[in-house]
Amino acid sequence: MITIGLTGWSDHDSLQLDAKHKLADYAAHFPLVEVDTSFYAIPSPRTTANWAAGTPDAFRFVVKAFQAMTRHKEWNQYFDSENEMYQKYMEAIAPISESGKLKAILFQFPPYFQCNQENVSYLRHIQKQMGSLPVAIEFRNASWFSEAHQEKTLALLQELGFIHTIVDEPQVGVRSVPIVLRATDPELTLVRMHGRNQYGWMKANSPEWREVRTLYRYNAEEIKEWAKYLTHLQKETKEVVVIFNNNSGGDAADNAKHLQEELAIEYTGLAPMQMDLFSE
């Protein structure tokens, strides 16, 4: 099974979402969404309960780990202890998990999170903190998939019960990883489509990074290429979740629908499509 969704439910003008009911309207188009806002601030359980209640039974969420959980920031900037941070995060996702709508928790690590003993130990620490919850790992440092480390990296993810997140992103040396079409979990593999804008990718610390970082529209040949990749991945894992993150120019929704068409996928259990005011 291949499940396609987008990062967030707000920045997709081509879907023509109602301003007051964006998530519900989004759920009429796709069966899954990646929650990006949880990276910047841990949401309240009341908020996540509303997300779960406001979506169809078959709808699913991939929720990003908070930025201090992935060492983009230090936990002591926000909490009195690391345990408090993890506890608050667990409380936040509980309504989604308890509703059966949690597909995975995405730990997206920064480019400076390289393959070394300290960071391997931290991955083991995450496994102890998260317990049986589904955890997907995304690396952004090429050292994890170097010739010397790739097989050990995949074996570690498998040992810890972590889901390998395969990425399509600009190739800019050590600050990005190659496409590695390997599953580490027999149930689920995550694929994130960031686009291939090398110039924008290198603007991560500039004021304009949101406008250019994922400014990219996949062409027909690239969509066909990924359709073949996904068909191959289905041999290794029961479900492949594909998330289009190329949002800077509003291309994610169109590319996701193009891939869905290429794969001849029709989803059931979506929210009802809002009727146009002037339709019969």
Side-chain angles (χ1 to χ4, degrees):
M1 180 168 67
I2 298 172
T3 306
I4 302 170
L6 312 176
T7 298
W9 55 81
S10 296
D11 300 325
H12 310 293
D13 292 343
S14 67
L15 298 183
Q16 298 181 331
L17 308 179
D18 182 88
K20 294 182 179 180
H21 308 97
K22 284 191 174 183
L23 178 55
D25 282 359
Y26 171 95
H29 293 272
F30 297 103
L32 175 142
V33 73
E34 176 190 297
V35 179
D36 183 63
T37 53
S38 55
F39 174 81
Y40 301 99
I42 297 176
S44 70
R46 181 177 179 180
T47 295
T48 57
N50 287 337
W51 293 344
T55 49
D57 292 343
F59 194 83
R60 296 293 182 266
F61 295 87
V62 172
V63 186
K64 264 193 176 181
F66 179 57
Q67 57 188 333
M69 294 164 64
T70 53
R71 296 195 164 176
H72 286 81
K73 302 285 187 180
E74 298 294 332
W75 59 258
N76 56 18
Q77 294 179 247
Y78 307 94
F79 300 97
D80 292 332
S81 69
E82 185 189 40
N83 284 338
E84 181 190 5
M85 173 181 67
Y86 275 97
Q87 180 181 349
K88 290 291 185 183
Y89 188 85
M90 294 295 205
E91 291 171 357
I93 64 170
I96 299 175
S97 180
E98 290 168 3
S99 70
K101 293 185 175 183
L102 179 65
K103 182 62 69 175
I105 300 163
L106 173 62
F107 280 73
Q108 176 197 294
F109 289 100
Y112 47 83
F113 189 83
Q114 61 184 319
C115 183
N116 58 34
Q117 189 59 55
E118 177 186 353
N119 290 336
V120 167
S121 296
Y122 186 62
L123 291 174
R124 296 186 182 280
H125 177 66
I126 289 170
Q127 196 277 333
K128 292 177 182 177
Q129 291 282 355
M130 304 308 289
S132 61
L133 290 170
V135 171
I137 300 293
E138 177 179 347
F139 296 115
R140 288 196 172 175
N141 184 291
S143 62
W144 294 95
F145 296 108
S146 68
E147 185 176 350
H149 293 146
Q150 177 171 304
E151 293 304 319
K152 293 179 181 179
T153 293
L154 294 169
L156 176 66
L157 296 179
Q158 187 171 19
E159 173 197 335
L160 297 177
F162 287 163
I163 299 157
H164 178 212
T165 302
I166 300 165
V167 294
D168 186 296
E169 64 188 19
Q171 296 303 297
V172 292
V174 72
R175 294 177 64 85
S176 59
V177 299
I179 297 171
V180 179
L181 297 173
R182 299 277 295 279
T184 58
D185 184 283
E187 299 296 322
L188 180 65
T189 298
L190 201 61
V191 174
R192 297 185 76 226
M193 308 291 287
H194 299 302
R196 301 177 180 180
N197 182 349
Q198 293 190 12
Y199 171 79
W201 200 251
M202 297 299 289
K203 288 283 187 177
N205 297 317
S206 73
E208 60 174 343
W209 75 272
R210 284 187 180 276
E211 287 71 37
V212 299
R213 184 165 171 77
T214 59
L215 182 59
Y216 190 82
R217 189 177 186 90
Y218 288 93
N219 63 38
E221 288 305 311
E222 290 165 339
I223 293 295
K224 286 181 180 291
E225 175 185 49
W226 265 103
K228 293 178 181 178
Y229 288 165
L230 296 170
T231 302
H232 167 78
L233 278 171
Q234 283 188 290
K235 299 175 183 178
E236 296 189 18
T237 188
K238 289 183 180 179
E239 182 178 7
V240 183
V241 166
V242 185
I243 297 170
F244 280 84
N245 185 48
N246 53 326
N247 286 337
S248 292
D251 295 307
D254 289 347
N255 276 159
K257 297 229 174 190
H258 187 174
L259 178 63
Q260 182 180 346
E261 181 181 347
E262 183 68 31
L263 291 166
I265 297 173
E266 290 188 14
Y267 294 115
T268 59
L270 298 176
M273 191 75 70
Q274 294 294 323
M275 296 297 290
D276 184 82
L277 178 64
F278 297 102
S279 63
E280 296 182 358

